[in-house]
Amino acid sequence: MAIYSVSATAPVNIATLKYWGKRDVSLNLPTNSSISVTLSQDDLRTLTTAATSDTFEEDTLWLNGKLESLQSKRTQDCLHDLRQLRAQLEDEDKTLPPMSKWKLHLVSENNFPTAAGLASSAAGFAALVVAVAKLYQLPQSMSELSKIARKGSGSACRSLFGGYVAWEMGELKDGTDSKAVQVLEKDQWPDMKALILVVSDIKKDVSSTKGMQLTVATSDLFQHRIAKVVPERFISMKEAIKNKDFNKFAELTMKDSNSFHSTCLDSYPPIFYINDTSKRIINLCHLINTFYETNIVAYTFDAGPNAVLYYLKENEDKLLSILNEICSNITGWNDKFSKEQTENWSNTYDKKLKNHFESFIVNYRDDIDKHVTRVIATQVGSGPQSTEESLIDEVTGLPK
Amino acid sequence: MAIYSVSATAPVNIATLKYWGKRDVSLNLPTNSSISVTLSQDDLRTLTTAATSDTFEEDTLWLNGKLESLQSKRTQDCLHDLRQLRAQLEDEDKTLPPMSKWKLHLVSENNFPTAAGLASSAAGFAALVVAVAKLYQLPQSMSELSKIARKGSGSACRSLFGGYVAWEMGELKDGTDSKAVQVLEKDQWPDMKALILVVSDIKKDVSSTKGMQLTVATSDLFQHRIAKVVPERFISMKEAIKNKDFNKFAELTMKDSNSFHSTCLDSYPPIFYINDTSKRIINLCHLINTFYETNIVAYTFDAGPNAVLYYLKENEDKLLSILNEICSNITGWNDKFSKEQTENWSNTYDKKLKNHFESFIVNYRDDIDKHVTRVIATQVGSGPQSTEESLIDEVTGLPK
């Protein structure tokens, strides 16, 4: 019995121009184009091993050590498309093993705790599609594969590339022009760093799929967002990225996060993803940018209260000497930053800074300290990678 | 020495279609029409005595016992317009005392604590304009006077009427068509009640004047709100009021509050007036309306976290038996509702209700209990009234 297996990793991406709204729910076709930054797989990635054999009896998925259903329509759609592409290859070359007819074993693991509250579905579907595509030796480009990942989870299509990625919404009904493309490679603007502030909340509001549909159906302002605001911003943001203009990139990123959450609030009934702690982080970022008289930090919030802050490496000390006054005790802070660095920040937090941030710190430090439960410091990263690290025992075909 | 004096009261109004945005800052001309409900003066009113005499040396205002400046441009604009109308009368009838040339003493008192955090400027400017207009024996209609009050504080123009009031934005540059009109008198729909939940906050965000200007200048979604959303809603809401269709009125009121706060969040930097406690109240209202399968309560929020809930008298027991489970310990609750009533509500809070609201109460009652500091129970009320109750000593011309 031959077991064929391949492993691949895929990254998390965080949108800076938000995907919110589907024009086709079944195909995950969006109402607007979006842009994201791919984060480093050193900190956040899904590793998936895909194995196939004529002896496997059932498509099976083990996710983070637990057996999961592969019966969801979204996963089935992805596997169906991949098998179809494989079948074409097999038609053309009869010597190929007929994998398109065999069942798959998929084993998947994230390198970050689920407790971080980060949507892992993008990395998950991207890793699944890439691993199976490699297993099937498919010749398709990443943009082509992104259309398949998109059917699994819309934003997964953007995880097929590293660096700076655009998801072009497309116009066609069948979605064949709705795909991810590279705006800029990681190495073309390598200094983008990211801090994820994980914010606790009593209860999660509606799921993003339900939320999107509610917004599309009920928000009056949403129609204007997709018809006018986002199309213009899509062009400007790509330009800002190509020009490596952080000040502009930051402004557009912050505005778009706010615009997206505005349409959530304008839904009926309204949807709230950001909370009072999120707002304090927003206010803090504006306070920091005001102090430096240019945008050195940008916040963005997905469908939850967690903040993702983007900044350039050259401004790390400026930014972190302030955040260190507010967040220094939070889990994750010391994983990335040495004692020497944090001591240095304490020393550079001078009187001028103290005066500017005093009232914020007096009013809000305790709240942030209480509600920000974890910090993940990371940066722009690469797209999906092949890896020798396998999660499947090649003899039994089961998870190691 | 003759001292002429007149006293008048004016009500607070709370918009159900929000005024947000000025097209002319100096004349307080709005970017959109708005609608409000005037609240009962039994609970919330400003009483102003206006006195004049040729012996007074200076225009002087005492507000809630404290000497206040009358030099603000807005107040001066109001007094200037009133004096001009008086001067016309004096030109026509030379026997009239030449009050238009005399100084004014104004004494003003609110019957509600400033701590309630309610904008009192609307009632204040309305009472000032009405008191001086009566002192001057001006023949102008309330709509005409509303244009003068508008110059003091935009929303003050709506406090010139009781019941249900529209502020027609007008089109003219000089603002002579931007005025309040009656939609429905209080007695035509007398059963509208209101609960004000005063929500504490660490710090007030930007003032509404500054906030409006920021939104007009920076929010992309705002332009759509004033061009499309509000004009349509203005017609629908007037219709709902005329039809006494609470279900529709409530839907439009809630949507418009959310739309207004969406444009605040879409401003750059974003403005936050509602906080997590406000959001819990919003969620509670939707939960109540879902339970009753029709809108029995509507929330609305001005430029702050306080909630104003509108409901019909016929639904008071339904609504308050639920709120009584959450807010019964809050200051003001027992001022309006007898022990018998609240006991009755406890008895009608049955198992079905308990099940529906259990999770909300478990998660949020403590938070609401902590952050809602006061409840004011009131209802739709009358417009400005003359009163014999004077705040000025008629011999000295000074506050009593």
Side-chain angles (χ1 to χ4, degrees), chain A residues 365-376:
Chain A
R365 174 159 57 185
D366 289 354
D367 177 86
I368 289 179
D369 208 52
K370 188 173 161 195
H371 292 108
V372 176
T373 54
R374 177 187 289 269
V375 176
I376 299 169

Side-chain angles (χ1 to χ4, degrees), chain A residues 145-290:
Chain A
L145 293 179
S146 80
K147 295 181 206 169
I148 301 176
R150 189 204 73 224
K151 293 187 186 175
S153 166
S155 56
C157 72
R158 296 186 311 239
S159 278
L160 277 272
F161 291 93
Y164 306 83
V165 186
W167 174 8
E168 295 174 344
M169 64 178 286
E171 288 175 356
L172 299 176
K173 272 207 152 179
D174 66 359
T176 47
D177 57 350
S178 185
K179 61 183 193 293
V181 298
Q182 186 93 62
V183 178
L184 217 58
E185 305 219 11
K186 183 193 82 161
D187 293 340
Q188 294 177 284
W189 198 12
D191 291 344
M192 184 70 71
K193 304 203 84 178
L195 265 189
I196 303 171
L197 305 182
V198 178
V199 173
S200 67
D201 212 1
I202 299 186
K203 239 173 120 176
K204 195 179 154 52
D205 214 303
V206 285
S207 77
S208 53
T209 298
K210 276 193 185 170
M212 280 185 198
Q213 284 169 253
L214 188 66
T215 302
V216 173
T218 63
S219 166
D220 301 303
L221 302 177
F222 176 74
Q223 296 306 325
H224 185 67
R225 169 173 163 79
I226 60 169
K228 284 282 294 173
V229 179
V230 175
E232 289 170 20
R233 201 170 274 156
F234 185 64
I235 294 166
S236 317
M237 193 180 281
K238 283 195 292 186
E239 209 173 83
I241 291 170
K242 285 177 180 161
N243 295 335
K244 291 173 242 173
D245 178 350
F246 184 85
N247 181 50
K248 188 71 189 167
F249 167 78
E251 180 187 325
L252 296 169
T253 295
M254 294 187 278
K255 281 186 171 173
D256 200 67
S257 175
N258 295 333
S259 167
F260 148 47
H261 290 282
S262 295
T263 66
C264 291
L265 172 53
D266 190 53
S267 304
Y268 186 77
I271 310 162
F272 305 109
Y273 290 122
I274 55 174
N275 65 20
D276 283 353
T277 305
S278 315
K279 290 184 208 167
R280 274 150 208 167
I281 295 167
I282 289 174
N283 286 337
L284 176 63
C285 290
H286 286 288
L287 211 56
I288 291 170
N289 291 334
T290 302

Side-chain angles (χ1 to χ4, degrees), chain A residues 203 220 224 229 233 254-255 258-259 262 265-266 268-270 272 274-276 279 282 286 299 359 363, chain B residues 203 220 224 233 254-255 258-259 262 265-266 268-270 272 274-276 279 282 286 299 359 363:
Chain A
K203 239 173 120 176
D220 301 303
H224 185 67
V229 179
R233 201 170 274 156
M254 294 187 278
K255 281 186 171 173
N258 295 333
S259 167
S262 295
L265 172 53
D266 190 53
Y268 186 77
F272 305 109
I274 55 174
N275 65 20
D276 283 353
K279 290 184 208 167
I282 289 174
H286 286 288
Y299 55 79
S359 135
N363 285 317
Chain B
K203 240 172 117 178
D220 301 303
H224 185 66
R233 201 171 275 157
M254 295 186 278
K255 282 186 169 173
N258 295 332
S259 167
S262 296
L265 172 53
D266 189 53
Y268 186 77
F272 304 109
I274 54 173
N275 65 21
D276 284 353
K279 290 185 210 167
I282 288 174
H286 286 288
Y299 54 79
S359 136
N363 285 317

Side-chain angles (χ1 to χ4, degrees), chain B residues 14 30 44 48 62 90 103 120 134 147 150 156 159 193 233 283 345:
Chain B
I14 301 285
L44 303 159
T48 295
W62 291 265
E90 292 167 7
K103 298 299 179 191
S120 50
K134 284 182 189 284
K147 296 180 203 168
R150 188 204 74 223
S159 278
K193 305 203 83 178
R233 201 171 275 157
N283 286 337
W345 294 333

